[in-house]
Amino acid sequence: MSGRDPDRRKALLDAADRVIMKEGPEVSMAAIAAEAGITKPILYRHFGDKRGLYQALADRHVRTVIAQLRPRLGDSGADLRGRARAAIGVYLDLITANLNLYRFLFHRASAEDSRVRSHMTSLVRGLGEELGGLLAAERVVPDPVRAQVLGHAFVGMVQTTGDWWLDHPEVDRAQVVEGLVDVIAAAITRRNARAGRGAGRNRGPTRTTPPPPQGSPR
């Protein structure tokens, strides 16, 4: 059967998901092939090699996470804190519900191959660019360069903090979410406040009515 058959590829990725979730991030390629009912060479034939399988899994799961974050980030009916809280909550819920898959992709696969790591980075970077564009388009951060800086910073911060939290399950989820929301809100509001003060300074001195000449009627 052709390695380009999308249904067959989907079935193989489903098998990989099942065995990774069951056995953990250190699962062998032989175990993935056995779960799919094929040999390891046939598994590689469908994806080119192990790297191809890693990239296919990354595309499947990272894009799924991004697709679920978009509606929360783009919810114009919610305020900044509400949108940030919803998006962060969705992200943390997704990585905890798929813990072995998360660690397989972000720890094992990225560590084993630099091109896989680069591929994963480009997917995450795309979300940072999208968030920066959203901040600028909605005038949350009017300066487009500053918006991109903050967009990438927020995505990186949430990802790194989520990774830390997975190793510290004793920390309350709500505490993690609110801590991240506080940082995001503070970064935006402080920047906008400074911009407002700067605009006030640039308007020049306030004109006042000169006093009447001495001795003139008031």
Side-chain angles (χ1 to χ4, degrees), residues 9 13 47 51-61 119:
R9 282 174 61 91
L13 291 173
F47 297 98
R51 182 187 307 119
L53 174 62
Y54 286 168
Q55 290 187 352
L57 286 168
D59 281 337
R60 169 183 256 203
H61 293 291
H119 183 67

Side-chain angles (χ1 to χ4, degrees), residues 23 30 43 45 48 62 80 89 107 117 121 131 136-137 151 153-154 160 190 195:
E23 297 190 16
L43 175 67
R45 188 181 307 161
V62 177
L80 173 65
H107 293 210
R117 182 168 61 252
T121 299
L131 178 56
F154 294 159
T160 302
R190 288 175 186 171

Side-chain angles (χ1 to χ4, degrees), residues 70-125:
R70 279 190 181 121
R72 275 73 179 184
L73 295 172
D75 181 8
S76 58
D79 63 9
L80 173 65
R81 292 185 68 93
R83 291 160 77 172
R85 185 179 294 111
I88 293 166
V90 166
Y91 176 74
L92 294 182
D93 288 345
L94 285 170
I95 64 175
T96 51
N98 301 278
L99 179 58
N100 284 339
L101 279 167
Y102 175 83
R103 286 180 167 156
F104 179 88
L105 292 171
F106 281 90
H107 293 210
R108 178 184 170 180
S110 294
E112 286 187 7
D113 192 288
S114 62
R115 279 173 287 187
V116 173
R117 182 168 61 252
S118 177
H119 183 67
M120 297 282 290
T121 299
S122 70
L123 293 174
V124 175
R125 184 180 298 156

